[in-house]
Amino acid sequence: DAGITQSPRHKVTETGTPVTLRCHQTENHRYMYWYRQDPGHGLRLIHYSYGVKDTDKGEVSDGYSVSRSKTEDFLLTLESATSSQTSVYFCAISTDRPSNEKLFFGSGTQLSVL
Amino acid sequence: DQQVKQNSPSLSVQEGRISILNCDYTNSMFDYFLWYKKYPAEGPTFLISISSIKDKNEDGRFTVFLNKSAKHLSLHIVPSQPGDSAVYFCASMDSNYQLIWGAGTKLIIKP
């Protein structure tokens, strides 16, 4: 199994509070991704990174920011959490673009915003 | 507006029989398709893929068929086993090389 660790695994927070989710990999893969999974929507890309300090937006990036200061860590921040951001968040890594290499996923973070 | 659709939220199949999971897409420019499998409390794992230059790809018990004219692909699992019970996601590549995912189909294999 690919070495991907997401923390925390579960979090409950209140509307308006900042939240940071962490993804840590031990595989030295270049690409890292943050997805959210909601019923009826499958997985939707929030942000992705193609190298240290190189990030780009996905299809549902509003309300989220990311940072990648080291190859192994990719942080997802909700600056001011809203109830619509209640979801399961998955981090994924790959050695190359999804067209060339498959993605490996972490086990997910269940986030509840009350 | 979902570009990748899995119209069956769930599917129940007898152990040993064939499971057929379906996926439709709307964008004729999509040229690479993947299936991922997900168990509860785990992340998705890659299962099988197919490029638009092919109409079939096989890996053991798993076969993916692509019908470009119908914008339809299907995943066949033969024979179905209890460990195949999971949620199956279909995904396709967009023009930005990112994956567009279907909503998933929950497959239940009955003993």
Side-chain angles (χ1 to χ4, degrees):
Chain A
D1 289 346
I4 310 169
T5 304
Q6 290 187 233
S7 58
R9 290 298 309 275
H10 299 89
K11 185 169 183 66
V12 180
T13 190
E14 293 184 350
T15 299
T17 61
V19 176
T20 295
L21 308 183
R22 182 184 184 231
C23 178
H24 178 79
Q25 62 149 328
T26 58
E27 306 296 321
N28 200 36
H29 283 6
R30 178 184 175 191
Y31 286 79
M32 298 186 76
Y33 311 81
W34 277 108
Y35 284 91
R36 60 178 288 174
Q37 185 198 357
D38 303 289
H41 286 277
L43 280 78
R44 290 181 292 174
L45 182 64
I46 304 171
H47 283 278
Y48 67 99
S49 169
Y50 44 94
V52 174
K53 296 186 180 179
D54 291 323
T55 65
D56 207 347
K57 296 179 180 180
E59 66 175 298
V60 290
S61 59
D62 287 349
Y64 302 95
S65 62
V66 290
S67 66
R68 192 169 179 198
S69 58
K70 297 184 289 185
T71 298
E72 58 266 35
D73 290 323
F74 193 33
L75 303 181
L76 176 71
T77 298
L78 291 66
E79 300 291 346
S80 177
T82 67
S83 58
S84 64
Q85 293 176 312
T86 292
S87 186
V88 180
Y89 290 86
F90 287 100
C91 174
I93 64 175
S94 66
T95 56
D96 202 341
R97 290 171 166 173
S99 55
N100 299 326
E101 288 293 335
K102 59 189 176 186
L103 273 63
F104 296 95
F105 283 85
S107 297
T109 294
Q110 173 70 62
L111 175 67
S112 297
V113 183
L114 305 179
Chain B
D1 184 26
Q2 289 187 316
Q3 299 185 69
V4 176
K5 298 180 181 179
Q6 294 177 256
N7 292 317
S8 299
S10 65
L11 176 67
S12 185
V13 175
Q14 201 73 36
E15 181 179 358
R17 306 293 291 270
I18 183 171
S19 295
I20 300 176
L21 294 92
N22 294 304
C23 179
D24 297 296
Y25 60 96
T26 58
N27 191 335
S28 59
M29 298 300 291
F30 289 165
D31 60 3
Y32 187 66
F33 305 88
L34 308 95
W35 286 92
Y36 277 75
K37 174 181 178 179
K38 184 185 178 304
Y39 292 119
E42 295 183 11
T45 56
F46 173 78
L47 190 56
I48 194 169
S49 63
I50 188 167
S51 165
S52 61
I53 62 173
K54 302 173 76 173
D55 54 18
K56 176 183 174 181
N57 190 26
E58 192 171 356
D59 184 2
R61 295 186 298 113
F62 302 90
T63 302
V64 56
F65 295 91
L66 176 62
N67 182 333
K68 291 185 289 293
S69 61
K71 299 193 189 70
H72 177 83
L73 64 156
S74 60
L75 174 68
H76 292 211
I77 306 173
V78 183
S80 300
Q81 299 175 354
D84 295 331
S85 294
V87 176
Y88 290 79
F89 290 99
C90 167
S92 61
M93 193 74 57
D94 71 6
S95 57
N96 295 317
Y97 302 102
Q98 298 305 328
L99 296 178
I100 305 296
W101 298 75
T105 295
K106 183 176 183 179
L107 177 63
I108 301 165
I109 305 302
K110 299 178 293 185

